[in-house]
Amino acid sequence: MKLTIIGCSGSFPGPQSAASCYLVSQEYQGRTWRIALDLGSGALGPLQKHIALEDLDAVCLSHLHPDHYMDLTGLHIAVKWRPGGWPAERIPVYGPAGTDERIAVAHGIDPQPGMHTEFDFRTWSPGRATQIGPFRITPVPVRHPIEEPYALRIEVEHSEPEGSEAAESAGGTRVLTYSGDTDTCSGLIEAARGADVFLCEAAYQDGRDDELQGIHLNGDRAGAAAAEAGAGRMLLTHIPAWTDAQVVREHAAKRYSGNIAVVADGVTYQI
């Protein structure tokens, strides 16, 4: 499973990155499957550096704040008005209840039919896994001031071709957990339990935003969550332009002894 960082700026696009969007890909049944975790403000442009939009198999939304879903409006235009017509089926969009109405209102169109002619809207059921090609995705409720915020646990059965040197040791399930936006909560630990990679938001700067609770993590709380969950590696993301990523990383490392990196636009990780 590959994770490519499309956008990682917290709350709004920054000078170096779009807002939240992460491309996950996996070879399966003779082709490459690709899903986007969130499609936040400014993400649609850099996404096209990595894939053709018609190759996107699904969009999976963590919650309905604009920095996580607003570029669905641009994707809608690309699908609806592509010269020669859209060559693929309607794009499945998984998200909280009311995603279809929220994005239609944001785009200034009547919710009926809204974007249903371009997107196949599907509503998450908390704690219930959904299969999209090779990806088993479980939405887990977390703590953020909006209705239905989720962390997303993505599991893929991994194997090497028979006869390869790596085949014997490479089998098993690979797990990527994406925190979405959240503060400390039991759901976050549940979603990240034993994950190979924990893609974790840390929007607040330690020592500056410590009094802010119930909205986002800081480095200290993100590191503590990764340690409690037993995650194999932590990737810090959703860091706004006004937050010092190095301060966040240093505080996370005081609580979590595993490998830590601050993600950057365009970087790909193998899971």
Side-chain angles (χ1 to χ4, degrees):
M1 177 165 47
K2 290 183 180 179
L3 166 68
T4 300
I5 310 302
I6 304 300
C8 55
S9 182
S11 300
F12 58 95
Q16 304 299 328
S17 176
S20 296
C21 182
Y22 310 93
L23 179 65
V24 183
S25 60
Q26 172 70 29
E27 296 297 323
Y28 180 66
Q29 294 184 345
R31 73 173 183 89
T32 302
W33 287 73
R34 303 174 178 91
I35 61 172
L37 307 179
D38 285 340
L39 193 60
S41 314
L44 193 63
L47 178 62
Q48 294 171 81
K49 296 178 181 179
H50 299 274
I51 64 168
L53 295 180
E54 57 265 30
D55 291 336
L56 190 61
D57 289 295
V59 177
C60 300
L61 302 177
S62 64
H63 67 289
L64 297 180
H65 276 152
D67 59 319
H68 293 262
Y69 84 99
M70 188 55 73
D71 265 26
L72 276 176
T73 59
L75 183 59
H76 166 257
I77 291 172
V79 175
K80 186 176 181 65
W81 299 107
R82 185 181 188 273
W86 189 252
E89 300 291 330
R90 288 186 302 158
I91 300 174
V93 176
Y94 295 81
T99 296
D100 55 345
E101 293 185 7
R102 182 76 66 86
I103 192 62
V105 170
H107 198 50
I109 60 177
D110 192 315
Q112 294 300 328
M115 298 184 183
H116 285 271
T117 52
E118 291 72 42
F119 299 144
D120 179 9
F121 290 99
R122 306 182 186 187
T123 300
W124 294 126
S125 294
R128 180 176 296 177
T130 294
Q131 195 76 32
I132 305 173
F135 307 107
R136 178 180 172 87
I137 305 175
T138 304
V140 182
V142 289
R143 182 186 177 196
H144 193 59
I146 191 172
E147 190 172 353
E148 289 193 51
Y150 293 107
L152 301 177
R153 183 180 175 92
I154 301 96
E155 300 172 279
V156 166
E157 293 297 324
H158 180 84
S159 61
E160 295 288 341
E162 290 186 13
S164 69
E165 293 182 3
E168 186 172 338
S169 61
T173 302
R174 298 292 190 267
V175 180
L176 164 66
T177 294
Y178 169 43
S179 69
D181 280 6
T182 182
D183 202 345
T184 302
C185 63
S186 60
L188 180 63
I189 306 305
E190 175 188 345
R193 183 76 66 191
D196 296 285
V197 171
F198 183 21
L199 179 62
C200 186
E201 74 114 289
Y204 286 157
Q205 185 170 311
D206 303 78
R208 184 193 66 191
D209 306 320
D210 295 347
E211 76 283 0
L212 299 173
Q213 301 286 329
I215 304 174
H216 292 293
L217 297 162
N218 60 10
D220 179 83
R221 299 199 294 273
E228 183 175 351
R233 185 180 190 187
M234 181 164 62
L235 301 178
L236 295 169
T237 190
H238 198 272
I239 298 176
W242 54 51
T243 292
D244 187 329
Q246 186 58 32
V247 170
V248 171
R249 187 191 183 284
E250 288 174 356
H251 280 264
K254 294 177 182 179
R255 302 295 299 272
Y256 173 69
S257 61
N259 185 285
I260 302 175
V262 177
V263 301
D265 177 27
V267 176
T268 294
Y269 300 89
Q270 185 74 46
I271 301 171

